[in-house]
Amino acid sequence: MMSGALPPGQHERPRLERFGLGWFANKLGFEHGTLKLRIDGDVMQPGELTSLAALPRTTQRSDFHCVTTWSVRDLNWAGVRFADFHAHCTSHHGVSPDATLVVLHGLDGYRNALPLADLLATDVLLADALAGEALPLAHGAPLRLVAPAHYGYKNVKHLTRIEYLRDARGYRFAFPYPQFMDHPRARVALEERARGWPAWLLRPFYRLLAPLARWRSRRALDRHVDD
Ligand SMILES: Nc1nc2c(c(=O)[nH]1)N[C@H]1C(S)=C(S)[C@@H](COP(=O)(O)O)O[C@H]1N2
Ligand SMILES: [Mo]
């Protein structure tokens, strides 16, 4: 089989382009050249990781699916498995055995959360490279989440903080976006695009909005002087 069918409601695009929520599109004035990843929340010893060198590396080819209905096939990522990162956090930071939710924070102010159990799947990476090159600013430098079974909006870019939580208390989807846009799991195969709204209604609505979001994302990057 050359390539399987795409998940329900998705169509293929030839390459990955910068994409995101408009509110964060031009919030690019951060230092992305060096890793500074804070680990906190329900952990005994909060701390900061400035290198992934102590963790085993892996590469992975996977498809990427945005909730606005586009997909890109066969992207070549490299980095560390979230499961290996989590093992490191468990031994070095004392993650609470009751932690069930992980909030991922980006340097642009974006955030999202996934159940810890979902992040432990073997295809979930903290990626610092794409197509054999260091992860570019457009795609989430210095480090991003890659969770292929979950819609793009769970794949937080520009990671700066990983917060373990015992429950969802205190977690809120990226301001100023409405909670309904953030399904707690957002599994692509089950078309969990959002909470409360049926997929058949969201597909055409999101599909209509995608070109605008893509244009805003690209324009913001073009205008950003990266020195
Ligand atoms: N920090 C941050 N991460 C983010 C976003 C964002 O706006 N900011 N947008 C999400 C959305 S909606 C998608 S589809 C993907 C897009 O990834 P790309 O820019 O590499 O194509 O990033 C996700 N992660
Ligand atoms: Mo997306």
Side-chain angles (χ1 to χ4, degrees):
M1 187 167 65
M2 235 190 54
S3 50
L6 286 172
Q10 297 297 112
H11 65 275
E12 185 170 351
R13 284 187 63 86
R15 63 190 182 88
L16 192 67
E17 291 172 77
R18 181 172 190 248
F19 198 91
L21 288 87
W23 180 266
F24 302 99
N26 58 9
K27 302 207 168 24
L28 286 169
F30 50 74
E31 161 57 37
H32 66 274
T34 50
L35 179 67
K36 248 178 109 175
L37 188 62
R38 174 144 192 92
I39 295 146
D40 63 8
D42 288 317
V43 305
M44 260 146 65
Q45 206 140 19
E48 205 170 77
L49 202 62
T50 53
S51 164
L52 299 176
L55 296 169
R57 290 191 67 77
T58 187
T59 60
Q60 162 173 305
R61 304 192 83 100
S62 47
D63 299 349
F64 188 92
H65 311 289
C66 172
V67 73
T68 66
T69 73
W70 57 265
S71 296
V72 179
R73 290 185 191 271
D74 203 27
L75 294 168
N76 177 13
W77 303 102
V80 307
R81 286 210 173 88
F82 191 91
D84 291 323
F85 166 81
H86 175 63
H88 167 91
C89 292
T90 301
S91 56
H92 289 74
H93 301 284
V95 177
S96 164
D98 301 324
T100 54
L101 190 80
V102 179
V103 188
L104 305 132
H105 299 257
L107 286 159
D108 56 356
Y110 182 75
R111 64 174 167 267
N112 211 309
L114 272 173
L116 174 58
D118 287 12
L119 290 168
L120 296 179
T122 53
D123 63 353
V124 177
L125 303 191
L126 294 175
D128 59 7
L130 171 62
E133 309 274 346
L135 196 63
L137 179 62
H139 298 300
L143 189 71
R144 79 174 301 166
L145 188 78
V146 172
H150 301 268
Y151 284 118
Y153 68 89
K154 296 288 182 189
N155 292 236
V156 179
K157 299 185 282 188
H158 319 297
L159 285 171
T160 184
R161 179 179 171 205
I162 298 211
E163 185 186 9
Y164 285 94
L165 291 180
R166 275 195 287 266
D167 54 43
R169 239 189 340 220
Y171 167 66
R172 197 202 171 284
F173 185 44
F175 177 85
Y177 289 89
Q179 288 296 323
F180 87 83
M181 285 176 70
D182 183 25
H183 190 284
R185 306 218 35 209
R187 288 168 295 181
V188 177
L190 299 178
E191 220 180 334
E192 294 170 333
R193 292 186 194 269
R195 44 182 120 183
W197 295 80
W200 63 263
L201 194 72
L202 290 171
R203 280 185 195 180
F205 175 65
Y206 278 163
R207 192 166 183 160
L208 210 61
L209 291 178
L212 179 66
R214 190 177 298 115
W215 175 77
R216 282 183 77 177
S217 290
R218 180 191 303 144
R219 189 187 58 163
L221 190 67
D222 288 348
R223 287 183 173 178
H224 176 70
V225 186
D226 186 24
D227 48 13

